[in-house]
Amino acid sequence: MAQSGESDGTIRVLIVDDHPLFRAGIRERLEVADGTIVVVGEAEDGHQAIGLVGSLRPDVVLIDISMPGMNGIEATRQIHSDFPDVRVIILSVHDDDQYVQAALDAGASGYLLKTIEASELRGSVIGVAHGDSALSPAIARKVLTLLSGTPTDAKKLSERELQVLTLAARGAANKTIAKELSMSTRTVEAHMRNIFDKLGVSSRTEAVTQAVRHQWIKLSDVD
Amino acid sequence: MAQSGESDGTIRVLIVDDHPLFRAGIRERLEVADGTIVVVGEAEDGHQAIGLVGSLRPDVVLIDISMPGMNGIEATRQIHSDFPDVRVIILSVHDDDQYVQAALDAGASGYLLKTIEASELRGSVIGVAHGDSALSPAIARKVLTLLSGTPTDAKKLSERELQVLTLAARGAANKTIAKELSMSTRTVEAHMRNIFDKLGVSSRTEAVTQAVRHQWIKLSDVD
DNA sequence: CGCGAAATAGGTGTTATCACCTACCCGCAT
DNA sequence: ATGCGGGTAGGTGATAACACCTATTTCGCG
């Protein structure tokens, strides 16, 4: 199971975060004397990350959730789909259920809070490179809860957001949704943005397919 | 079942077609001496049609399939959904399976070819206003075929179109789809347009939901 | 009583999507 | 052999969608 750079003992890491200072901080804390971990690159958004994963073939990708453009969860999904042997660890400030769920669904091997200690981070990276999973303690508890018959899905989206998403699923444009629900198009856009974030997607089409597949919305009167 | 203008014997008709000359021709052939049929309005696209149906409340809407903007099938779907007691007759030059299927799914009470005789057209309008259905002979045959275990769904979309739609359902943008399938974004757009026409929808979101619900595409590897 | 979450909405851009065209190539059927 | 559907692709323009901001109100929760 060690077919990439890991075979010679070094673990190749790609850091993805939109804050240069944060990337530098992580890099410093990872690259300690023994040379076990090598940071082979940095990316500042999801698109760049996917490109670099292709060219650099890191063993582990450390990625933030909230980034401009393509968010970390969506990027994780694509990395996991395009390069199944590349492990992804989410580095997040959020410990919300929905993010954890979405991140793990997207194929992440780890979900660490940014409050993690440097030594623990190194341990997690090494562990994940060898096939383990890494979860911050607070996250681990949530995951267990999620596994034991989770009603998280229902609470994921607010009532208003579900109404918006339902209409969107019928093909309604934001303008139409706005008229239907008596709100401005800007509010519809805001709801859509929040829905995207919660579901870990980056387009209305993705949001709608997820909703349809998980039956969060009633399609009964669509045809 | 006669709660609108029909109660006094006259049938109120709305004509929807993007060709003014065609509308005039239909109007002339409908409004004969006895005054049974009254053309209460004309619209030149789907959006206008929906608006006029709301304000004029016709008994019957005669609508063309191919129109700029919202096509006739999509307009039919919305009219049927918003005003269930308004009957819609599709007037089309196409006798393709997919259009017939989509039109009837959308809630049309009739599907007539534009080659129809004036007297038959009048008879169909009157019949539909009283609750009958109206199909051109060539169409009636197709409908019967469709009803007897139809494999139309599978044949609806071409192989290439299904590939495009599958990727679209995963939230891929046209640009992404283009790269994935090694074609230009213009070709992707062309495929999307054709898909919209065949399904009788007018946005990628609608196309995708239909595909997901009818399971035309494999979502298995989405999550 | 402040604090966060949800709902509302405006400002300002950049992209993506979609409509309507034309055009060429291919294979298949009339 | 001529047409026709499918796949390909370019031009042009309008509109929708989306990113990133800020800001207000309401409401429940420590």
Side-chain angles (χ1 to χ4, degrees), chain A residues 95-105 111 135 138-153 155-156:
Chain A
D95 65 342
D96 312 69
D97 285 351
Q98 63 257 28
Y99 286 114
V100 178
Q101 169 95 18
L104 299 181
D105 281 352
Y111 192 114
L135 296 178
I139 301 301
R141 208 194 59 242
K142 287 189 181 297
V143 169
L144 291 182
T145 321
L146 288 174
L147 285 178
S148 55
T150 165
T152 348
D153 285 351
K155 278 203 334 242
K156 230 175 195 172

Side-chain angles (χ1 to χ4, degrees), chain A residues 35-216:
Chain A
T36 308
I37 299 177
V38 178
V39 175
V40 293
E42 298 182 10
E44 55 187 5
D45 63 56
H47 293 292
Q48 224 177 79
I50 292 170
L52 285 179
V53 167
S55 54
L56 300 175
R57 293 306 177 104
D59 298 303
V60 176
V61 178
L62 284 177
I63 190 168
D64 184 32
I65 285 193
S66 47
M67 288 183 299
M70 179 187 294
N71 68 50
I73 293 177
E74 178 56 22
T76 300
R77 196 192 315 283
Q78 294 209 16
I79 291 171
H80 184 67
S81 150
D82 294 350
F83 313 97
D85 39 301
V86 174
R87 303 300 183 134
V88 179
I89 297 178
I90 304 276
L91 261 185
S92 172
V93 292
H94 308 284
D95 65 342
D96 312 69
D97 285 351
Q98 63 257 28
Y99 286 114
V100 178
Q101 169 95 18
L104 299 181
D105 281 352
S109 293
Y111 192 114
L112 302 177
L113 295 181
K114 285 192 174 178
T115 55
I116 193 173
E117 298 288 330
S119 63
E120 291 181 30
L121 177 58
R122 277 195 299 277
S124 295
V125 168
I126 295 170
V128 164
H130 288 82
D132 293 347
S133 291
L135 296 178
S136 284
I139 301 301
R141 208 194 59 242
K142 287 189 181 297
V143 169
L144 291 182
T145 321
L146 288 174
L147 285 178
S148 55
T150 165
T152 348
D153 285 351
K155 278 203 334 242
K156 230 175 195 172
L157 301 181
S158 73
E159 202 49 49
R160 210 61 171 149
E161 285 165 349
L162 272 181
Q163 291 172 10
V164 169
L165 190 52
T166 302
L167 290 173
R170 295 185 200 167
N174 288 343
K175 200 195 297 177
T176 314
I177 298 173
K179 265 185 291 189
E180 203 78 30
L181 299 181
S182 303
M183 58 177 76
S184 88
T185 62
R186 315 311 307 281
T187 306
V188 177
E189 288 173 7
H191 283 308
M192 289 300 276
R193 243 312 61 250
N194 291 331
I195 292 171
F196 293 169
D197 286 347
K198 287 185 179 178
L199 299 186
V201 300
S202 49
S203 77
R204 77 166 40 213
T205 311
E206 266 180 299
V208 163
T209 34
Q210 272 205 34
V212 171
R213 288 177 47 248
H214 296 325
Q215 299 187 291
W216 293 331

Side-chain angles (χ1 to χ4, degrees), chain B residues 68-69 174-175 193 204:
Chain B
N174 288 343
K175 200 195 296 176
R193 228 355 14 268
R204 77 164 41 215

Side-chain angles (χ1 to χ4, degrees), chain B residues 2-200:
Chain B
Q3 85 285 30
S4 30
E6 192 199 342
S7 53
D8 62 350
T10 68
I11 300 170
R12 300 161 50 79
V13 174
L14 173 68
I15 301 175
V16 188
D17 195 294
D18 54 332
H19 301 96
L21 283 178
F22 182 79
R23 293 200 304 269
I26 295 288
R27 180 188 276 269
E28 273 179 29
R29 281 161 184 74
L30 282 180
E31 292 186 316
V32 288
D34 64 3
T36 308
I37 299 175
V38 178
V39 175
V40 293
E42 299 182 9
E44 56 187 5
D45 63 56
H47 294 292
Q48 225 178 78
I50 292 169
L52 286 181
V53 167
S55 54
L56 299 175
R57 294 306 176 105
D59 299 302
V60 176
V61 178
L62 283 177
I63 190 169
D64 184 31
I65 285 192
S66 47
M67 287 183 299
M70 180 188 293
N71 68 50
I73 293 178
E74 179 55 23
T76 299
R77 196 191 317 284
Q78 293 209 17
I79 292 171
H80 184 66
S81 149
D82 294 350
F83 313 96
D85 40 301
V86 175
R87 303 300 183 133
V88 179
I89 297 178
I90 305 276
L91 260 185
S92 171
V93 293
H94 308 285
D95 64 342
D96 311 69
D97 285 351
Q98 64 256 27
Y99 286 114
V100 177
Q101 170 95 17
L104 298 181
D105 281 352
S109 293
Y111 192 113
L112 303 177
L113 296 181
K114 286 192 173 178
T115 54
I116 194 173
E117 298 288 329
S119 63
E120 292 181 31
L121 177 58
R122 277 195 300 275
S124 296
V125 168
I126 294 171
V128 164
H130 287 84
D132 294 345
S133 291
L135 296 178
S136 283
I139 301 300
R141 208 192 60 240
K142 287 188 183 299
V143 169
L144 291 184
T145 321
L146 288 173
L147 285 178
S148 54
T150 166
T152 348
D153 284 350
K155 276 202 338 239
K156 233 177 190 169
L157 301 180
S158 74
E159 202 47 51
R160 209 60 172 151
E161 285 164 350
L162 272 180
Q163 291 173 10
V164 169
L165 189 53
T166 302
L167 290 174
R170 294 186 203 166
N174 288 343
K175 200 195 296 176
T176 314
I177 299 174
K179 265 185 290 190
E180 201 80 30
L181 299 181
S182 304
M183 59 176 78
S184 91
T185 63
R186 314 313 306 283
T187 305
V188 177
E189 289 174 6
H191 282 309
M192 290 300 271
R193 228 355 14 268
N194 291 330
I195 292 170
F196 294 170
D197 285 347
K198 286 185 180 179
L199 300 186

